[in-house]
Amino acid sequence: ELARKLNQTTYYFDSEVEQHAAQRVTQLTKLRQAIANRDFHIALQPKIEFATNKLASFEALARWTDSEGKMNPPDQFIGLAEQAGIIELLDIQIVELAFAAIIRLQQEGINVPVAINVSIRDLASKHYVEQLKQFPQKFDVSPTFIELEITETEAMKHYDQFIKVLSELKNLGYRVAIDDFGTGYSSLAHITELPAEVLKIDGSFVRNIGKTNSANHVIEMIMRLGNRFNFEVVAEGVETEEQKQLLREMGCHIGQGYLFARPMPLDDVIKWSKTNT
Ligand code: C2E
Ligand code: MG
Ligand code: MG
Ligand code: MG
């Protein structure tokens, strides 16, 4: 009886694993197709200056509308693209979309930077980095209008590889931000040499601000690091008026989150900007 149950369990387990693997293969085939077809869009989310409620910049977030018309959020395809070694093919399309968005925004009189998310694998790709070097001329847009967001965890794990390429891009005029800051394990020595001008406080701390001592301590610490080493500090995931207030009291001036606006398609962002800034 036990043996039969075990066998059954094993059989059940196997088929689940197989099903899962088959789904992955299907998803990856679709993703490759989407890259070939350029089926990606960006949603733009404003970053707001607390004191004035004025628009400071945008972040471009990748969206994939698949053949069934379903909108897939990044956590369903960025990781997959990274594992499959094709993330730089996707991300370079996002950079192009960001440059195009900046041109359109400027035509509408909205002159603020747009941030894009960069994976460490992008920075390891010759093609991706070459394109980044050429795009400002190709699109006739100053690189100071593009901010490259790289997560603290990836930046620190691949520090040597990261610092070299990002310093080059920063010297060309790109702005650099360290994303999800506070979740990684930055050494103080590395923080002082980061080729970046912005630290983005991870949303997990913002969510717990005023609720847990550890969240308050982490944010206070990031603010102090920011002041001491001249980083601009931006809070992500600001959802309530109270969170905004506490962040302000701690000396943070800029934030992004549902309190202000959700990520929106470019046309909506233009309408939003005209009524909100
Ligand atoms: P991230 O760069 O830290 O982006 C912030 C995420 O928080 C976004 O999720 C955004 O929609 C969400 N968010 C914004 N405000 C709030 C809020 O008030 N509350 C909550 N709960 N969430 C908020 P999204 O768009 O699903 O992106 C998830 C992650 O996927 C991003 O995290 C980024 O790491 C990655 N990602 C997005 N686009 C790209 C891309 O083009 N390339 C790469 N390599 N990664 C990307
Ligand atoms: Mg980001
Ligand atoms: Mg983030
Ligand atoms: Mg985050």
Side-chain angles (χ1 to χ4, degrees):
E1 167 66 12
L2 183 65
R4 193 183 64 83
K5 268 196 183 156
L6 271 177
N7 270 336
Q8 254 183 4
T9 316
T10 311
Y11 177 74
Y12 178 67
F13 182 68
D14 274 356
S15 81
E16 240 191 15
V17 167
E18 273 166 28
Q19 207 183 331
H20 189 76
Q23 271 168 6
R24 259 181 72 90
V25 173
T26 314
Q27 192 71 352
L28 189 54
T29 308
K30 283 189 189 169
L31 182 57
R32 286 181 194 281
Q33 198 62 56
I35 291 174
N37 294 346
R38 302 184 150 261
D39 285 338
F40 298 93
H41 307 98
I42 50 175
L44 296 168
Q45 188 179 31
K47 300 180 200 173
I48 301 291
E49 200 182 274
F50 295 146
T52 56
N53 257 335
K54 268 184 66 177
L55 174 67
S57 59
F58 291 108
E59 176 173 7
L61 296 151
R63 298 290 181 262
W64 167 25
T65 313
D66 65 21
S67 52
E68 285 115 54
K70 205 180 101 211
M71 184 99 109
N72 295 280
D75 54 320
Q76 281 174 32
F77 60 88
I78 295 289
L80 187 62
E82 282 174 341
Q83 286 154 28
I86 53 176
I87 185 69
E88 65 268 24
L89 302 176
L90 196 170
D91 274 344
I92 202 66
Q93 294 184 14
I94 301 297
V95 184
E96 287 177 290
L97 291 169
F99 270 96
I102 290 168
I103 292 171
R104 175 83 198 286
L105 288 166
Q106 292 186 347
Q107 285 166 350
E108 301 284 343
I110 307 161
N111 294 297
V112 297
V114 172
I116 51 168
N117 292 282
V118 178
S119 293
I120 196 77
R121 298 193 69 132
D122 296 335
L123 296 178
S125 154
K126 270 218 171 83
H127 178 70
Y128 180 94
V129 175
E130 261 321 299
Q131 298 277 84
L132 271 193
K133 290 181 180 170
Q134 289 167 14
F135 280 172
Q137 280 205 18
K138 185 178 159 192
F139 288 95
D140 195 22
V141 168
S142 163
T144 53
F145 278 97
I146 295 271
E147 188 169 293
L148 310 172
E149 294 191 1
I150 176 131
T151 64
E152 183 194 16
T153 316
E154 286 203 315
M156 290 304 148
K157 207 156 83 191
H158 306 270
Y159 188 75
D160 295 331
Q161 185 185 7
F162 152 87
I163 194 168
K164 200 167 152 284
V165 189
L166 269 194
S167 307
E168 264 177 61
L169 293 169
K170 188 168 175 278
N171 289 338
L172 283 180
Y174 282 101
R175 287 165 57 85
V176 178
I178 309 299
D179 207 347
D180 301 343
F181 198 80
T183 59
Y185 300 92
S186 287
S187 76
L188 264 183
H190 283 170
I191 288 174
T192 62
E193 331 174 308
L194 276 178
E197 35 265 292
V198 181
L199 304 178
K200 285 188 84 178
I201 307 173
D202 189 64
S204 60
F205 305 112
V206 175
R207 195 170 311 125
N208 286 315
I209 194 172
K211 287 191 191 150
T212 69
N213 282 332
S214 68
N216 291 351
H217 288 324
V218 171
I219 295 174
E220 277 163 14
M221 191 64 85
I222 296 174
M223 292 315 307
R224 253 192 268 162
L225 279 173
N227 289 331
R228 176 65 184 79
F229 298 110
N230 282 320
F231 295 106
E232 184 182 287
V233 180
V234 174
E236 69 170 25
V238 184
E239 294 184 351
T240 69
E241 211 40 69
E242 192 194 346
Q243 289 166 353
K244 182 182 98 173
Q245 225 33 63
L246 291 169
L247 284 161
R248 286 191 72 177
E249 283 164 23
M250 291 187 190
C252 180
H253 303 299
I254 297 177
Q256 171 187 17
Y258 298 161
L259 173 65
F260 307 106
R262 300 216 162 220
M264 299 172 273
L266 183 57
D267 285 334
D268 294 1
V269 151
I270 289 167
K271 277 183 228 145
W272 179 91
S273 299
K274 294 194 167 154
T275 48
N276 286 274
T277 55

